Amino acid sequence: MPKNSKVVKRELDDEVIESVKDLLSNEDSADDAFKKSELIVDVQEEKDTDAEEGSEVEDERPAWNSKLQYILAQVGFSVGLGNVWRFPYLCQKNGGGAYLLPYLILLLVIGIPLFFLELSVGQRIRRGSIGVWNYISPKLGGIGFASCVVCFFVALYYNVIIGWSLFYFSQSFQQPLPWDQCPLVKNASHTFVEPECEKSSATTYYWYREALNISSSISENGGLNWKMTICLLVAWVVVCLAMIKGIQSSGKIMYFSSLFPYVVLICFLIRALLLNGSIDGIRHMFTPKLEIMLEPKVWREAATQVFFALGLGFGGVIAFSSYNKRDNNCHFDAVLVSFINFFTSVLATLVVFAVLGFKANVINEKCIAENSEMIIKLVKMGNISQDIIPHHVNFSAVTAEDYHLVYDIIQKVKEEEFPALHLNACRIEDELNKAVQGTGLAFIAFTEAMTHFPASPFWSVMFFLMLVNLGLGSMFGTIEGIITPIVDTFKVKKEILTVICCLLAFCIGLIFVQRSGNYFVTMFDDYSATLPLLIVVILENIAVSFVYGIDKFMEDLKDMLGFAPNRYYYYMWKYISPLMLLSLLIASVVNMGLSPPGYNAWIEDKASEEFLSYPTWGMVVCISLMVLAILPVPVVFIIRLCNLIDDSSGNLASVTYKRGRVLKDPVNLEGDDASLIHGKISSEMSSPNFGKNIYRKQSGSPTLDTAPNGRYGIGYLMADMPDMPESDL
């Protein structure tokens, strides 16, 4: 048994000590340091302790009902809307199948190691993001606050997207779908197609005019869109009800919200593969363009996608893992969830391009029919000679191959005059090369494709219900990243905090349901999270690897997991990941500086998008979002450095034990929260450091929810002693 010369004066017997009071009596009376330590023993009579139980607030941390529930929660948080509408776009834009190679490499170099790091610190310290980083170093406690601020910013606009999905979901229960055709406008003399719709398309018109009723610039707020306001309210009510009991309520919903999207994606894939043109879309998707893969921009975008796909830096990963048992194999969880996320992205890409291939085929057939009629007219008018048209071509039922043959012949014969003929090549590749992402993919391109599906309302209901569930899974993790750290740190009631948080977010979120709200969503998406989260994760990596110490962290992992993690993680955390993250941060800053800050505005008269720069006040808001998100880091650092607040407040090392359970913290310690972590000598410690075997746990006894500063942190481990009379504690 390890012995501390300043605390233990003689070797204790290896038998289980019958009571904590006996243990205290075994110590020398002169050992004042021990008597002043944070271990507070309740030696009152049974009736007193029973009476206190009603008033004491027990800090019994909730736990997942099963490992499956926890994995589904992590998968639901990491797999979100970006997997469906961002990854396929990046894959198409950056070399097709060749993009998967840099993505996989960066998943192994950045994604899995940093995901494993967040899972480990959350599970070991059993606190939210604020408590975790305050535990490792109080001066870096601002990292947790920064994560909470970013989570709040993201939650503000992310739930708006869920509201949009709810609106489309509610409109899908009709045949034909309301975005199937352009609306007709009647006046006194005649009926005509809505000009804005005729210039664009039915789905584009429905999105911008019927759903958003969008204004022409961010400066024209245009008042609230009442339909979207109701949808946003419903979305926040759903989130609030799901999160009000923490993981006890949201965990059960995860079984549906995390699994349902996979059912829908598989159904869509099977259905799309039975449609004409789907194979063309998939072939186009995975045809590798190796020359593009060597461009630095491809690697930067792949790294950014890996970073955000796993939800690094938000605090949701840490919050969810903090409800785990301490001996849970979080390394297995990190690898499993990361690869589930990757294969989900590939599955979604297959579905998207199978559906877009079908859509491109439908549009291509329409294009060929229209241009064939134009060729017939040009032949009749004598602009094109009948002799150059092959005899086997029948324009009443022309195939794509025959049309392209005729098109190429006319192009060769009419070299200079050809542009004046206004003929279209009608190649399916041209349609597939029109890259769409985000709302343009979900609410315009995909909805247009579904109008051509048999039983289109059914597929529309399924698709938008899938988007709602994908969004909710990510929202649960995002809100958990706000609620858990605040509850752990300030000991507020979770139910009240959840209601206040959701109510406040809804009120602020009203700016996103104005007629100009879509432009604010773009602003928040571009500026509120990208750079702040990169800085947060860099600081997380530095805090663990250099402040806490990578060697000590590896030892902690070995003690927690029961085996030593591969040395691969040691080198990743200490050298490779920090350098990669710094490179990504610099590249992102340079890219942001080179890209003019602005947004795509919908111009009603032109029925098209036009890039506009942000006004001066818009630039101020963009900069403010980034500054506010990262501001807690330097503020907390300066406060701690200058000792402007008492370090002992909210001390994680201060706990009380009662009946083998951890209770609220009534005692404050003097000195630095992390004094024992940083290896101060025993004379500097405010309390002694016993060996871990002084309190021996009986074999077969139930697992105890130990304090965060127990076996895997600092302080003491309270043994579970079921045979001891309750009155002795």
Side-chain angles (χ1 to χ4, degrees), residues 399-569:
T399 63
E401 292 77 10
D402 288 344
Y403 173 78
H404 294 142
L405 175 63
V406 173
Y407 180 86
D408 292 338
I409 292 172
I410 296 174
Q411 191 175 26
K412 289 177 182 177
V413 173
K414 301 280 188 180
E415 292 181 0
E416 297 180 359
E417 300 174 13
F418 183 77
L421 300 178
H422 303 294
L423 293 176
N424 197 313
C426 296
R427 301 191 187 279
I428 199 168
E429 293 80 10
D430 296 336
E431 189 65 32
L432 288 169
N433 280 329
K434 295 178 181 177
V436 286
Q437 64 163 325
T439 54
L441 174 65
F443 298 109
I444 298 176
F446 219 87
T447 51
E448 183 178 345
M450 286 186 296
T451 58
H452 302 292
F453 276 33
S456 54
F458 168 77
W459 294 105
S460 183
V461 167
M462 293 284 281
F463 176 71
F464 289 111
L465 188 58
M466 178 191 74
L467 290 188
V468 169
N469 279 277
L470 283 172
L472 285 176
S474 297
M475 274 298 295
F476 294 158
T478 304
I479 297 298
E480 198 69 57
I482 303 171
I483 301 297
T484 298
I486 295 176
V487 169
D488 289 343
T489 305
F490 301 106
K491 306 300 178 187
V492 297
K493 199 168 181 63
K494 177 169 283 190
E495 292 84 352
I496 296 174
L497 178 62
T498 303
V499 172
I500 292 174
C501 179
C502 292
L503 186 60
L504 178 63
F506 169 72
C507 293
I508 298 175
L510 292 176
I511 66 172
F512 302 107
V513 289
Q514 302 175 98
R515 290 184 59 197
S516 60
N518 187 47
Y519 307 137
F520 284 97
V521 170
T522 303
M523 177 190 288
F524 271 66
D525 191 36
D526 290 342
Y527 293 97
S528 70
T530 308
L531 291 184
L533 280 181
L534 273 172
I535 295 171
V536 164
V537 176
I538 290 171
L539 292 174
E540 288 180 358
N541 200 164
I542 292 172
V544 171
S545 299
F546 302 103
V547 178
Y548 184 78
I550 190 65
D551 295 302
K552 188 171 183 179
F553 186 63
M554 295 295 283
E555 285 298 316
D556 290 342
L557 287 177
K558 182 179 179 181
D559 189 33
M560 186 169 68
L561 300 175
F563 63 89
N566 195 293
R567 293 291 289 180
Y568 167 81
Y569 292 104

Side-chain angles (χ1 to χ4, degrees), residues 202-268:
T203 50
T204 304
Y205 172 82
Y206 190 86
W207 166 242
Y208 283 118
R209 190 55 53 212
E210 296 293 337
L212 300 181
N213 193 20
I214 200 164
S215 62
S216 297
S217 74
I218 196 170
S219 301
E220 303 172 23
N221 59 46
L224 290 178
N225 180 339
W226 66 268
K227 291 181 288 188
M228 289 306 169
T229 304
I230 293 173
C231 291
L232 179 64
L233 177 61
V234 172
W236 274 115
V237 168
V238 170
V239 170
C240 184
L241 293 177
M243 296 299 301
I244 198 161
K245 293 292 184 182
I247 63 169
Q248 304 299 332
S249 54
S250 65
K252 296 179 177 63
I253 300 173
M254 290 295 179
Y255 287 108
F256 179 77
S257 65
S258 296
L259 293 175
F260 180 74
Y262 291 96
V263 175
V264 176
L265 285 174
I266 292 171
C267 290
F268 260 99

Side-chain angles (χ1 to χ4, degrees), residues 668-718:
N668 291 330
L669 288 180
E670 296 180 0
D672 196 334
D673 290 348
S675 60
L676 298 184
I677 297 176
H678 296 307
K680 290 188 178 180
I681 60 175
S682 56
S683 61
E684 294 175 319
M685 295 179 182
S686 59
S687 60
N689 184 14
F690 284 96
K692 68 177 80 174
N693 293 327
I694 288 182
Y695 289 56
R696 183 166 63 83
K697 186 176 186 297
Q698 290 187 353
S699 59
S701 61
T703 304
L704 180 71
D705 184 12
T706 57
N709 56 334
R711 179 180 178 187
Y712 306 110
I714 57 176
Y716 310 97
L717 173 70
M718 186 66 180

Side-chain angles (χ1 to χ4, degrees), residues 381-410:
M381 292 168 61
N383 293 342
I384 298 175
S385 173
Q386 178 70 47
D387 297 335
I388 67 173
I389 308 296
H391 298 293
H392 70 279
V393 175
N394 179 12
F395 282 111
S396 60
V398 66
T399 63
E401 292 77 10
D402 288 344
Y403 173 78
H404 294 142
L405 175 63
V406 173
Y407 180 86
D408 292 338
I409 292 172
I410 296 174

